[in-house]
């Protein structure tokens, strides 16, 4: 390999770096060749001594990616460092998978805690709003057919809806303004389901039956406004603590990753020296 | 064993060379090669790492022939890093010598443990 080929291959392999940096590295290698040739050495010997240009380029890129990750610990930069180090065969990428699983689990747990916190805030907010303005009322039955978003049936109106489906299926929804009760009934050839609530918002009757048997639940205590406040506060407490400590753990693991990668990098430079 | 021992010491050697006088890559390689076996290709990436760690900085000087030459010089933090590396190295060597001297006196043979 001659000097020009070496530089060309190096330039090609450094394509991932910003232009100014690439130019600087290439200029440094050109100067190195100039010095070596002035010293009376021949081009091929210098190329051999310098090593494989692609490998040099990988090393120079990996160092840069590591710096980037240390400056901005984003998942994208982590991916780049991992693949750069794997390219240098410092790091077996298989080792990265358990790590990614752990990070994913941690992150999910943390998001879960955040959701609990959010639910707590919503419950508490609903209680506050209910206490101050009377809205939202807690004696409404809410259901969702998952196609059109939440639906709410208020018990203080008169509604009758009937619908027929296949296999003699039938759906009926009835509200009674005088008692404030709502009844939803679904039935077909195989079984039926009935949900009925009372004026205070409690579930007066929930019945599910088919050819093999029937389950009936009734007189379930409604959620009182005070109960909702307690639930909201407990959720906020659990969610708040979970989010806070979860975040601390994630940050610690994230930092540890940086140090571990740096250590792997140093190990490479200790041991790869001929 | 020698390769293992060279772990981490090449950086120190380069810093030590630069502490005597500023130099450029080809000259650094030449000086190191006089006293130890080195992979010529490892020095340039090493210089970039030292620069990224801000242990060395560079400046350009006009040369008689050809384009300006890039010189490396030790920064203040490079100097203090070198001092602490040297301290660690000296105490490490002293410990090992101590052990070798003792076992040599007792058994007359050396255990080779990397």
């Amino acid at each position: 390999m001659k000097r020009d080929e070496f530089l060309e291959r190096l330039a090609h392999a450094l394509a991932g770096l910003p232009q100014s940096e690439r130019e600087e590295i290439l200029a440094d290698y050109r100067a190195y060749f100039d010095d070596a040739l002035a010293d009376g050495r021949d081009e091929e010997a210098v190329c051999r001594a310098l090593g494989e240009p692609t490998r040099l380029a990988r090393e120079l890129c990996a160092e840069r990616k590591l710096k980037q990750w240390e400056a901005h610990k984003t998942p994208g930069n982590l991916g780049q460092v991992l693949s750069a180090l794997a390219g240098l065969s410092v790091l077996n990428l298989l080792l990265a998978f358990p790590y990614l699983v752990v990070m994913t689990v941690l992150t999910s747990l943390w998001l879960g805690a955040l959701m609990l916190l959010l639910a707590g805030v919503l419950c508490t907010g609903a209680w506050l709003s209910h206490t101050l303005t009377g809205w939202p009322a807690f004696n409404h039955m809410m259901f969702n057919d998952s196609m059109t978003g939440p639906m709410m049936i208020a018990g203080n109106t008169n509604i009758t809806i009937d619908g027929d489906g296949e296999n003699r299926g039938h759906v009926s929804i009835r509200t009674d303004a005088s008692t404030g009760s709502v009844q939803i009934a679904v039935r077909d050839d195989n079984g039926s389901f009935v949900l009925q609530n009372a004026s205070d918002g409690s579930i007066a009757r929930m019945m599910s039956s088919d050819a093999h048997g029937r389950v009936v639940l009734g007189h379930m205590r409604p959620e009182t406004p005070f109960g909702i406040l307690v639930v909201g506060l407990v959720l906020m407490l659990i969610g708040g603590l979970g989010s806070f400590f979860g975040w601390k753990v994630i940050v610690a693991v994230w930092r540890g990753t940086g140090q571990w990668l740096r250590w792997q990098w140093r190990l490479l430079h200790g041991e790869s020296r001929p | 064993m020698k390769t293992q021992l060279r772990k981490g010491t090449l950086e120190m050697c380069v810093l030590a060379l630069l502490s005597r006088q500023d130099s450029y890559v080809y000259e650094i390689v030449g000086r190191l090669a006089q006293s130890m076996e080195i992979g010529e290709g490892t020095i340039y990436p090493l210089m970039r790492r030292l620069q990224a760690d801000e242990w060395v900085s560079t400046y350009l000087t006009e040369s008689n022939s050809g384009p300006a030459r890039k010189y490396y010089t030790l920064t203040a933090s490079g100097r203090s890093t070198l001092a602490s590396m040297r301290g660690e190295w000296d105490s490490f060597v002293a410990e090992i010598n101590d052990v070798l001297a003792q076992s040599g006196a007792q058994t007359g043979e050396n255990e080779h443990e990397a």
Side-chain angles (χ1 to χ4, degrees), chain A residues 70-86:
Chain A
E70 281 170 346
H72 307 282
K73 292 196 167 64
T74 64
N77 282 344
L78 175 63
Q80 294 203 344
V81 179
L82 287 179
S83 62
L85 290 184

Side-chain angles (χ1 to χ4, degrees), chain A residues 5 41 46 186 216 259:
Chain A
E5 193 194 340
R41 298 170 63 188
V46 179
V186 183
V216 181
Q259 282 168 7

Side-chain angles (χ1 to χ4, degrees), chain A residues 21 24-25 28-29 32 35-36 39 41 49-50 56 59-60 63 67 265-267 269-271 273-274, chain B residues 3-4 6-8 10-11 24-26 29 37 39-42 44-46 48-49 52-53 69-70:
Chain A
E21 204 168 338
E24 191 191 340
I25 293 172
D28 288 343
Y29 273 101
Y32 193 88
D35 286 331
D39 204 17
R41 298 170 63 188
L50 284 179
L56 278 176
E59 184 167 347
L60 293 168
E63 172 66 26
K67 280 275 165 218
W265 185 238
R266 294 253 179 252
L267 220 57
H269 288 296
E271 291 175 352
R273 303 257 152 74
Chain B
T3 311
Q4 289 286 319
R6 226 170 261 142
K7 184 188 258 182
L10 196 52
E11 279 184 350
Y24 52 98
V25 179
Y26 192 74
V29 170
E37 283 173 40
E40 210 173 323
T42 60
Y44 181 70
L46 176 86
R48 285 192 78 84
R49 280 204 302 287
D53 286 335
R69 185 168 261 159
K70 190 192 265 183

Side-chain angles (χ1 to χ4, degrees), chain A residues 252-271:
Chain A
V253 172
W254 218 229
R255 286 218 180 103
T257 311
Q259 282 168 7
W260 181 74
L261 288 174
R262 177 50 78 181
W263 175 67
Q264 290 283 318
W265 185 238
R266 294 253 179 252
L267 220 57
L268 167 76
H269 288 296
E271 291 175 352

